[in-house]
Every structure is written in structure tokens, then in C-alpha cells.
Amino acid sequence: MARHSTEQRIYEESEYLLNALRQLNGVPTDVSHVLMNAVSNIMCSMVFGRRFDYDDKDFKDLLLSNHMVMTKLQASALLTFIPILWYAPMPFKRELRHHFEKIIDYAKREISKFRHSTKNEPLPESFISAYIRREDEYRKSKSEGKESVQHFLEDPEHLQWTVVNLFTAGTHTTAISLSWVLLFLCLNQDVQ
């Protein structure tokens, strides 16, 4: 992943973010959605090796599912303290599961594209491609009888869950933090 640094990905996406903000023509707007698009695209670039147009249907669906998962998880915080409530019938659990499964399915499809690419196809630099290379190295060293403590590479679902966690948690928390930064900058113009 070092060939395409995180800083470069952020810089490239910031141009798209600025263009989206310019299109608002100075009209007071809640920019949290635009920030979510930008942050999510940086995560997509790092994890999947590509960014999306802000109007892309798959991208919008992915963001909606991510938003719903994070919203429903926040709503279920009480269940952390009273775990027996997880067994009670609650309508939000079905919706949470539905959107979470959509994110998992997307991650599986993307991982499958990487796994089934041919040697002639250059894979985009991403977390997935780096992970798959590491898996291959691990398998090779294991077949050669070398010891390794990286047993997590043997779990076929580990990559999928790591991708889902990086995307969901990384996108939401960073976008919310940036929203707060912008709010504080608006309220403290001397700091701007």
C-alpha cells in the first residue's frame, strides 16, 4: 500500500470534496453528508483500491447501510449494559442485521474480485490486495515448513470482517469528527 500513500489519497479526495462544496454556491447547508462521502471514499480507496462518484448508486447504498448500522448500534447501546435484552423482540435488530449483511455482501464481492483476478490484471493497491499477498506468503512459508504465529491468515472470514470493520468504523467516526471540527471553526472564526 506504500506506493499510494494515505496522504495522497486524502489530497485527491479533498479536491472532489471542495468541488462538491463549491456546487453549494454559498447556500447554508448541512455538509455532514458531503463529508461522509469524502471520508468514505478515502476509506474505499484504501480498503478497496478505488473511489466512487458521489452519485454512484452502489456508493449511495453502501453509505446508507453504513449510516443505518451505526445509527442502530448507537440506539442499542443500552443492550451492552443489559445483555438479556438482546433476546427480546425489537424491530431495530432486523433492520440492523439487514444493513450489516448488505455491507458484508459488498465486502465479499470486492474481495472475490481480488481473489479471482488473473496474474495479467494489475490489482489496485489496497488493504485487500496487501492482505491477499500476505496470505499467499503465509501459505508458501507454511508449505515450506516454516513456523509462523500469523494464524489469523488461516481464517477465511478474517479479511471480510476486517474490511467491514475498517469501512464502518473508520468512515463514521472520521466524518463525525470532521463535522465537529467545521462547527467549531464556524463558531470560532478567529481560529479559522
Side-chain angles (χ1 to χ4, degrees), residues 33-90:
H33 181 69
V34 179
L35 288 174
M36 189 68 73
N37 287 345
V39 170
S40 180
N41 254 333
I42 292 166
M43 292 305 295
C44 286
S45 176
M46 290 170 50
V47 174
F48 304 122
R50 68 185 177 108
R51 70 170 303 282
F52 294 87
D53 288 333
Y54 291 168
D55 295 327
D56 184 277
K57 184 190 178 321
D58 288 338
F59 185 60
K60 285 181 175 182
D61 289 346
L62 194 58
L63 286 182
L64 174 64
S65 289
N66 188 42
H67 174 73
M68 296 304 290
V69 164
M70 297 310 288
T71 302
K72 299 301 177 190
L73 283 176
Q74 289 170 352
S76 69
L78 179 63
L79 302 181
T80 304
F81 301 104
I82 310 172
I84 192 76
L85 290 178
W86 274 108
Y87 299 102
M90 294 183 193

Side-chain angles (χ1 to χ4, degrees), residues 1 9 44-50 114 123-131 133:
M1 290 182 66
R9 292 172 200 262
C44 286
S45 176
M46 290 170 50
V47 174
F48 304 122
R50 68 185 177 108
F114 279 86
L123 290 174
E125 282 299 312
S126 67
F127 176 80
I128 295 173
S129 62
Y131 190 100
R133 277 193 307 274

Side-chain angles (χ1 to χ4, degrees), residues 101-125:
E101 286 174 0
K102 285 177 75 171
I103 296 170
I104 293 168
D105 288 343
Y106 184 81
K108 286 179 181 178
R109 285 193 310 271
E110 288 296 309
I111 292 167
S112 179
K113 287 178 193 175
F114 279 86
R115 289 199 190 283
H116 295 101
S117 67
T118 64
K119 297 290 181 193
N120 299 337
E121 283 179 72
L123 290 174
E125 282 299 312

Side-chain angles (χ1 to χ4, degrees), residues 17-32 34:
L17 172 62
L18 290 174
N19 286 336
L21 293 174
R22 284 184 193 107
Q23 291 176 1
L24 299 174
N25 294 322
V27 175
T29 307
D30 177 3
V31 296
S32 59
V34 179

Side-chain angles (χ1 to χ4, degrees), residues 118-154:
T118 64
K119 297 290 181 193
N120 299 337
E121 283 179 72
L123 290 174
E125 282 299 312
S126 67
F127 176 80
I128 295 173
S129 62
Y131 190 100
I132 290 172
R133 277 193 307 274
R134 185 62 195 111
E135 279 180 330
D136 293 342
E137 292 168 7
Y138 173 74
R139 276 193 215 75
K140 184 179 177 189
S141 69
K142 191 171 179 184
S143 70
E144 294 171 353
K146 296 179 182 172
E147 295 271 337
S148 177
V149 296
Q150 296 175 334
H151 53 81
F152 65 88
L153 292 168
E154 293 178 2

